[in-house]
Amino acid sequence: MSHLNEELSVVIQRLLHLCDAYSFSRGICETGISFVSLLKANRPTTIQQGLFNPGICVVLQGNKTLIVRNSTYNYGAGEYIASNLDMPIKGQIVQATQEVPYIAIRIAFTTDEIASVALEANLRVSGENQLSEGAFIGKTGAEVLHVLERLLHLATDRDAADFLASGVKRELIYRLLTDEGGARFYNNMLLHHDAAGISKAIHYVKANFVRTLTVEEIAQAGGMSSSTLHHKFKAVTTLSPIQYQKQLRLQEARRILLTDDIDVTSAALDVGYESVTQFNREYKRFFGLPPLKDIRTISNHAKESAHKSAYADNILIDLGV
């Protein structure tokens, strides 16, 4: 559990009170501001694998665990997880009850938005020029929490939100760049990944994951050599480009098996596999069970909420995505 000073605790309690006014469906609430959503869980979850999409997820209550490579990171109230790319991660909610649920606020943004604020505010943030993993955990300053509080207030006024929300979002990015952990936020979210071309390479793989891709093709999309791509891609995502593509395929296959009326063979073909045998083997290796057994297990759990799609959504919500 995070150790919060009195000011942070007071602001977080006000944020939790604002969250109480929202209705959650399947663990998530869209606030009316397109880039702001709320996440909620009433019990701990199992370890789930998924993609953390570009943005920041600030925990207000409860605790989570992030697993990157062989390292485990625990974070809770007053802390956040952030990434500027679609980062494959493992994670789970470890502290949540019906009385004291896990609550978090997710803000989606892009590298361009961060760069725009840094440039226009003439920010000169120092830090080590060293590649690091795409998803990271940081501490939330009081000014950041105050901006989140204003965003939740603003979300209750749709007309005002349409006009003012983008400006408040820019202030949020400014506060993240200038608070105590601003140098790390800048270096992880802007400096290295954008300069290294990794964002372009990852976007290319994500847009073309159903095709057979070569390392040379991905490297060209990122504007670097194949050897440089392999080194930098793995440093940021913890995976090689082809492993990353494989995870995208398997995640999408699981999603459509859960939500669409489709058989395993069709799902495998839809995500780019030519061999159903290979698909079954890699699916089991990644998710721990063969496709049909995995979907059947998930469906049985989903009976509590009556919808397979609800459980499918929660696979991602568990990760704060």
Side-chain angles (χ1 to χ4, degrees), residues 36-303:
V36 182
S37 55
L38 307 178
L39 309 176
K40 182 178 183 180
N42 294 323
R43 60 188 179 207
T45 65
T46 58
I47 295 175
Q48 299 289 348
Q49 303 191 63
L51 290 176
F52 187 92
N53 303 129
I56 182 170
C57 187
V58 180
V59 179
L60 302 180
Q61 187 168 266
N63 281 79
K64 295 188 71 173
T65 293
L66 170 68
I67 302 171
V68 180
R69 287 199 178 112
N70 297 319
S71 300
T72 300
Y73 305 93
N74 297 310
Y75 57 108
E79 296 175 306
Y80 65 78
I81 178 173
S83 178
N84 78 332
L85 48 82
D86 295 286
M87 175 72 182
I89 61 173
K90 296 180 182 178
Q92 68 179 134
I93 296 170
V94 295
Q95 185 179 53
T97 65
Q98 190 73 36
E99 295 75 23
V100 186
Y102 166 85
I103 301 286
I105 302 177
R106 170 156 175 80
I107 310 292
F109 44 58
T110 66
T111 302
D112 287 344
E113 289 173 319
I114 301 172
S116 174
V117 172
L119 180 65
E120 292 184 33
N122 197 30
L123 296 178
R124 295 288 183 267
V125 183
S126 62
E128 296 182 2
N129 189 14
Q130 179 180 342
L131 277 174
S132 56
E133 290 153 353
F136 68 100
I137 293 169
K139 293 188 179 297
T140 310
E143 293 299 331
V144 171
L145 293 175
H146 284 305
V147 178
L148 291 176
E149 187 179 9
R150 292 211 310 282
L151 272 175
L152 291 190
H153 277 296
L154 187 60
T156 63
D157 186 340
R158 180 61 62 85
D159 291 337
D162 288 343
F163 182 70
L164 298 173
S166 60
V168 181
K169 183 181 188 180
R170 287 174 60 81
E171 181 184 352
L172 175 65
I173 293 171
Y174 177 85
R175 297 299 183 186
L176 286 165
L177 288 168
T178 57
D179 74 1
E180 185 177 346
R184 186 178 183 212
F185 184 85
Y186 177 88
N187 289 325
N188 280 271
M189 299 297 288
L190 182 61
L191 179 61
H192 305 311
H193 308 318
D194 187 60
I198 295 300
S199 295
K200 293 179 181 178
I202 287 175
H203 178 76
Y204 186 82
V205 176
K206 188 178 180 184
N208 298 280
F209 72 89
V210 298
R211 294 199 299 107
T212 299
L213 300 175
T214 65
V215 173
E216 291 75 18
E217 182 181 354
I218 300 168
Q220 185 177 16
M224 64 190 81
S225 69
S226 298
S227 59
T228 299
L229 169 75
H230 188 274
H231 168 71
K232 292 183 175 180
F233 201 101
K234 195 160 189 177
V236 172
T237 68
T238 75
L239 301 169
S240 71
I242 302 306
Q243 288 172 328
Y244 184 85
Q245 179 189 20
K246 183 186 297 183
Q247 285 205 13
L248 291 178
R249 286 180 169 182
L250 293 171
Q251 294 283 359
E252 175 63 10
R254 194 189 208 195
R255 186 194 68 79
I256 61 178
L257 283 169
L258 282 166
T259 58
D260 299 345
D261 185 15
I262 191 171
D263 57 57
V264 171
T265 299
S266 297
L269 296 174
D270 282 354
V271 299
Y273 277 88
E274 297 179 0
S275 167
V276 178
T277 300
Q278 181 186 4
F279 170 74
N280 287 333
R281 182 173 61 249
E282 293 184 353
Y283 189 104
K284 181 180 179 180
R285 185 183 300 130
F286 187 64
F287 291 115
L289 293 171
L292 287 179
K293 190 171 183 179
D294 179 52
I295 300 307
R296 192 178 302 118
T297 300
I298 291 174
S299 297
N300 289 337
H301 284 300
K303 289 178 181 178

